[in-house]
């Protein structure tokens, strides 16, 4: 079956051949599964990223297990839906550590949740890989077990701000976020950076992602003279309602910001395709079409292999690729370290230099746990999605 929003049953062949690679070193017990804990907001207003991550994870786990597992050990993916709620994320983390005794945790996928769970995992010395972008979540001294495989919010913010000021050449911006921990932090950091670079932040607000009518906020931004709207929210529903309200006001102001602005889910929620015009989103070279309409060779090879097995129409490709990369990274960490001990997994991750993942080339060390290279962060045209990949935004090389 195709891995989609509602169905996660898999039938994929091995994507990597992890079970048969000759680089694997020590042998270990063949019976106990490798337990990967998966904390994702799979439902609720901030669920779009987790749904994409989930598809990649399940495809990759199925692929590894179908090829015999990691030196005979199957992977067991243990999933908890956090619903974007930090309390649920904390409870699930404690359960995974104390009761289930997982060997590593992927997630959470929402920074507001990760702010609450990261210290818990640190105390338990639980290997943790996550895609959350809030800068304070990565600190090799406080959290020596936590590794970020996506860019930090500073990297995202730099790409968005530079696009607004240097390519769109706007002077007056509105900066908005949702009311989650992530939305509040990201919008605040963005406002400070825009002001530091001399821009005029004419409006800023935290908007409830479930708010049914975005017209009042859009009117306030328009009346303030905003020449671009910078949005920091994972909610595709909020994004679509903002775009619909912009169209109703006959206002052609550009939106720039969070990757969720380009999720295929937005295309299902807007009232007409034109409402998605002039929306520019953070994206990555691994998930961008070049001028000839081609993806990087590594990405295309994966899509050819996964064709018909993963639904990419309503998500972003980088979410899916990240999920695949996590399974491969943890599988190799277990194989190379000779077991599932947390110390061995952490040591393996600390030794990676330009590791060639599908989503990006990761580099971690004992003193640097931000693993994603800045030069692979780009801006994309949100409405150009094909299989979750995007065209580069106009004027962006």
């Amino acid at each position: 079956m195709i891995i989609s929003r509602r169905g996660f049953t898999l039938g994929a062949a091995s994507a990597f051949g992890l079970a048969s690679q000759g680089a694997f070193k020590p042998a270990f017990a063949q019976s106990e599964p490798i337990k990967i804990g998966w904390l994702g907001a799979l439902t609720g207003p901030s669920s779009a990223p987790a749904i994409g991550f989930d598809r990649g994870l399940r495809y990759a786990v199925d692929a590894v297990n179908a090829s015999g597992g990691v030196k005979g050990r199957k992977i067991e993916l243990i999933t908890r839906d956090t619903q974007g709620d930090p309390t649920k994320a904390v409870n699930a983390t404690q359960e995974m550590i104390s009761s289930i005794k997982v060997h590593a945790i992927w997630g959470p996928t929402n920074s507001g949740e990760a702010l609450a769970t990261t210290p818990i995992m640190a105390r338990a010395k639980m290997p943790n890989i996550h895609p959350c972008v809030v800068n304070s979540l990565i600190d090799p001294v406080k959290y020596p077990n936590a590794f970020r495989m996506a860019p930090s919010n500073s990297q995202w913010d730099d790409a968005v701000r530079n696009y607004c000021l240097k390519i769109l050449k706007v002077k007056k911006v509105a900066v908005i976020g949702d009311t989650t921990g992530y939305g509040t932090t990201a919008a605040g950091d963005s406002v400070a950076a825009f002001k530091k670079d001399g821009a005029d932040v004419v409006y800023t607000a935290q908007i409830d992602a479930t708010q049914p009518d975005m017209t009042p906020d859009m009117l306030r931004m328009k009346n303030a003279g905003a020449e671009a709207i910078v949005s920091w929210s994972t909610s595709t529903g909020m994004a679509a309602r903002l775009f619909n309200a912009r169209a109703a006001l006959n206002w052609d102001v550009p939106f720039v910001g969070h990757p969720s602005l380009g999720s295929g889910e937005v295309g299902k929620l807007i009232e007409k395709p034109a409402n998605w015009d002039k929306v520019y989103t953070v994206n990555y070279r691994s998930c961008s079409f070049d001028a000839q309409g081609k993806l990087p060779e590594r990405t295309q090879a994966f899509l050819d292999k996964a064709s018909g097995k993963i639904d990419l129409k309503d998500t972003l490709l980088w979410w899916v690729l990240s999920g695949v990369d996590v399974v491969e990274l943890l599988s190799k960490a277990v194989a190379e370290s000779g077991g599932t001990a947390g110390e061995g997994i952490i040591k393996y991750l600390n030794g990676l230099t330009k590791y060639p993942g599908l989503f990006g080339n990761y580099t971690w060390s004992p003193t640097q746990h931000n693993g994603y290279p800045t030069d692979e962060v780009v801006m994309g045209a949100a409405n150009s999605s094909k299989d979750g990949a995007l065209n580069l935004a106009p004027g962006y090389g």
Side-chain angles (χ1 to χ4, degrees):
M1 292 178 62
I2 296 176
I3 305 170
S4 64
R5 185 181 180 93
R6 293 182 171 84
F8 300 127
T9 303
L10 301 165
S14 172
F16 319 111
L18 285 169
S20 59
Q21 288 184 4
F24 293 159
K25 294 178 181 176
F28 35 69
Q30 300 296 304
S31 57
E32 182 188 9
I34 300 165
K35 297 178 181 179
I36 299 177
W38 162 216
L39 301 173
L42 292 163
T43 58
S46 300
S47 61
I51 290 168
F53 292 133
D54 192 78
R55 294 178 191 174
L57 282 167
R58 293 179 184 276
Y59 172 86
V61 168
D62 188 73
V64 172
N65 288 343
S67 66
V70 182
K71 299 295 283 186
R73 296 178 71 174
K74 296 297 181 71
I75 296 175
E76 181 181 352
L77 188 65
I78 298 161
T79 305
R80 294 293 182 267
D81 179 7
T82 63
Q83 300 178 335
D85 184 335
T87 300
K88 288 183 171 63
V90 166
N91 292 338
T93 299
Q94 292 172 331
E95 178 195 13
M96 287 184 173
I97 293 171
S98 301
S99 301
I100 303 173
K101 300 187 184 304
V102 299
H103 300 117
I105 292 177
W106 162 239
T109 54
N110 181 291
S111 293
E113 298 169 279
L115 288 166
T117 60
T118 300
I120 297 171
M121 294 188 216
R123 288 193 293 271
K125 299 180 180 178
M126 173 61 63
N128 174 222
I129 304 177
H130 68 71
C132 298
V133 299
V134 167
N135 297 330
S136 63
L137 288 170
I138 290 300
D139 185 329
V141 176
K142 291 171 64 176
Y143 312 128
N145 60 305
F147 298 81
R148 180 168 18 227
M149 68 183 304
S152 68
N153 203 71
S154 293
Q155 290 169 291
W156 275 5
D157 196 46
D158 287 348
V160 166
R161 190 175 66 260
N162 288 336
Y163 191 75
C164 287
L165 301 181
K166 296 180 180 179
I167 296 179
L168 295 180
K169 298 188 182 303
V170 299
K171 300 291 186 182
K172 299 179 179 180
V173 296
V175 180
I176 58 174
D178 58 32
T179 54
T180 65
Y182 167 70
T184 301
T185 302
D189 289 347
S190 184
V191 167
F194 267 109
K195 288 182 176 179
K196 184 178 179 181
D197 279 1
D200 185 6
V201 181
V202 296
Y203 181 84
T204 183
Q206 308 303 132
I207 302 173
D208 186 339
T210 63
Q211 180 178 308
D213 185 6
M214 299 292 172
T215 304
D217 286 283
M218 290 298 297
L219 278 171
R220 285 190 282 270
M221 287 184 267
K222 184 176 183 180
N223 292 336
E227 299 168 340
I229 298 173
V230 175
S231 178
W232 298 108
S233 172
T234 62
S235 173
T236 53
M238 173 176 161
R241 289 191 294 277
L242 284 165
F243 303 158
N244 290 337
R246 176 184 64 171
L249 294 173
N250 197 29
W251 189 24
D252 67 349
V253 64
F255 275 88
V256 189
H258 191 277
S260 289
L261 298 177
S263 170
E265 186 73 9
V266 174
K268 296 181 176 181
L269 300 173
I270 54 175
E271 293 171 354
K272 55 184 180 180
N275 292 5
W276 214 0
D277 292 347
K278 296 188 74 172
V279 179
Y280 310 115
T281 173
V282 172
N283 198 40
Y284 308 94
R285 295 203 179 275
S286 61
C287 304
S288 296
F289 296 103
D290 63 17
Q292 289 72 46
K294 294 182 178 180
L295 290 169
E297 184 177 347
R298 192 189 308 169
T299 306
Q300 189 59 56
F302 170 78
L303 288 178
D304 292 343
K305 188 183 292 287
S307 178
K309 301 181 178 77
I310 304 178
D311 185 2
L312 296 169
K313 295 189 298 295
D314 62 350
T315 190
L316 287 171
L317 182 57
W318 80 266
W319 292 335
V320 174
L321 297 185
S322 297
V324 174
D325 282 350
V326 167
V327 174
E328 183 178 12
L329 282 164
L330 291 175
S331 296
K332 288 188 174 180
V334 169
E336 292 289 340
S337 66
T340 50
E343 295 88 345
I345 293 173
I346 291 168
K347 182 178 179 181
Y348 173 81
L349 297 176
N350 272 328
L352 296 181
T353 301
K354 294 185 178 180
Y355 176 91
L358 289 170
F359 171 44
N361 298 314
Y362 311 112
T363 297
W364 291 308
S365 74
T367 58
Q368 177 56 268
H369 286 183
N370 283 305
Y372 203 86
T374 297
D375 60 4
E376 293 187 32
V377 183
V378 297
M379 297 298 296
N383 63 353
S384 64
S385 178
K386 179 182 178 183
D387 290 332
L390 305 175
N391 295 333
L392 289 172
Y396 201 94

